[in-house]
Amino acid sequence: MTILASFAVPHPPIILPEVGQGEEEKIRKTIAAYDTVMEKAAGLQPDTLIITSPHGEMYMDYFHIAPGPTARGDFAQFRAPQVELSVRYDRDLASLIAEEAREAGIPAGFEGERDPALDHGTMIPLYFYRKYGSLDKVKVVRIGLSGLGPDVHYLFGRCIREAVEKLGRRAVFIASGDLSHKLKEDGPYGYVPEGPVFDRQCTEALGQGDFFRLLTLDHSLCTRAAECGLRSFWIMAGAWDGMNVKARLLSYEGPFGVGYGVAAFLPGAPDPGRKFLSPLLAAEKKQREERVAREDPYVKLARLAVETYVKDREIPSLPEGLPPEMLSARAGAFVSLHLRDQLRGCIGTFLPTRNNLAEEILRNGISAATRDPRFPPVRPEELPYLEYNVDVLTTPEPVSGPEQLDPRKYGVIVKSAQDERRGLLLPDLDGVDTVGDQIAIARQKGNIAVTEPVQLFRFQVVRHR
């Protein structure tokens, strides 16, 4: 047998009456759609439910598959401890998925479990499933997401289907994930214009079964929208590699400021035109080449520094042809590295420490790749996928209070009034939307308590990408 159906579903705890206490009525369409797809799932009489969840164990470079024979969980953290669920794991299928992934070069397995309890991204689909089918008659494979790219998630989904087919399982795939978390000013995470745009594009792609569009959504759009479930959907798409699907978007709502979509996918006939891995890799390669071609001398120098040092452990000489201002001016500079829209390293100086700006960038680029204590050193195989920002700073100036700050225009330095501890945060960062956020993060970076008196400084940057 193979995968009988897949469903993309949200996981808001408030959808449970025991948690929502009446508030769940505001997402009645989502509840009705959830009931429809889980009744369908139970009616297929699967042997195994495969659930991918953003709230399981998640690592940047590894897919965690829940180990062991059984697991349980409850909603105590949502003030409903009486709602409990227990499952049996399909250990044979989980082991074969890990084996298939390793053979495909994908890091996946059972290591790194920090909490064996079922997460709410898994439990909410199971809560609805057990209305229509017994959890005693079905096993579960629970899989976390990773920080790897869409191509790896897609290939992992293909490995999941291959394992299902080899064991002859009747499986239903449940891709658990909310959409944007930034749909309303009065929502828990605020509002950004990209939130509704992401939700519209994502739900259109789900409803049309347009998996290539899902895989190629603009990365910066997804980051700004603070989406939750896209990686779940990527894995699900891979599980349908080379297959037509009958796709249907059953509902979409976002009254609480978070997007909830429910979609169903039933198998059609094989279709070689729906093998999306090769065109995805080609599209990603083209994007990388275009990005490198657009880089200005500041970013090219940072890239040269990082690539030379990581490959050869040598500090390169300054290249010929740099703009005169890079050789004559002195300024603080930060070099930021991103890998698949996730920060991979950021080191800089808020005042100049080298003979000129070019040397400042060169040295800080190497430090960002090798000395940021938050990350392991950059590996050679990561180099083609890195994106670079170079921020050249103005001289910091003191300000009298937060009212003189603007997280889009100014970076901030928060300095302890008691000693030399300080934390710095660059301006115009995704997810930092208020002055309060900016100061709180800078305090944290400087190990400065919320109650400690501080001095505030602001600066501006010229950002090179």
Side-chain angles (χ1 to χ4, degrees), residues 14-35:
I14 201 170
I15 200 170
L16 276 58
E18 297 89 344
V19 175
Q21 298 293 313
E23 287 295 293
E24 72 278 3
E25 291 299 321
K26 295 178 181 177
I27 49 172
R28 174 50 56 188
K29 292 179 181 178
T30 302
I31 293 172
Y34 229 131
D35 281 326

Side-chain angles (χ1 to χ4, degrees), residues 333-384:
F334 273 73
V335 176
S336 304
L337 313 178
H338 288 82
L339 181 66
R340 302 181 184 93
D341 281 331
Q342 301 295 319
L343 185 66
R344 186 62 180 84
C346 179
I347 293 288
T349 45
F350 65 90
L351 294 173
T353 62
R354 303 288 174 178
N355 293 326
N356 54 50
L357 179 56
E359 290 185 7
E360 205 83 32
I361 293 169
L362 187 141
R363 293 289 182 158
N364 289 343
I366 293 171
S367 294
T370 62
R371 300 190 184 99
D372 189 324
R374 297 169 293 180
F375 305 98
V378 168
R379 302 185 301 273
E381 61 269 23
E382 294 176 300
L383 292 173

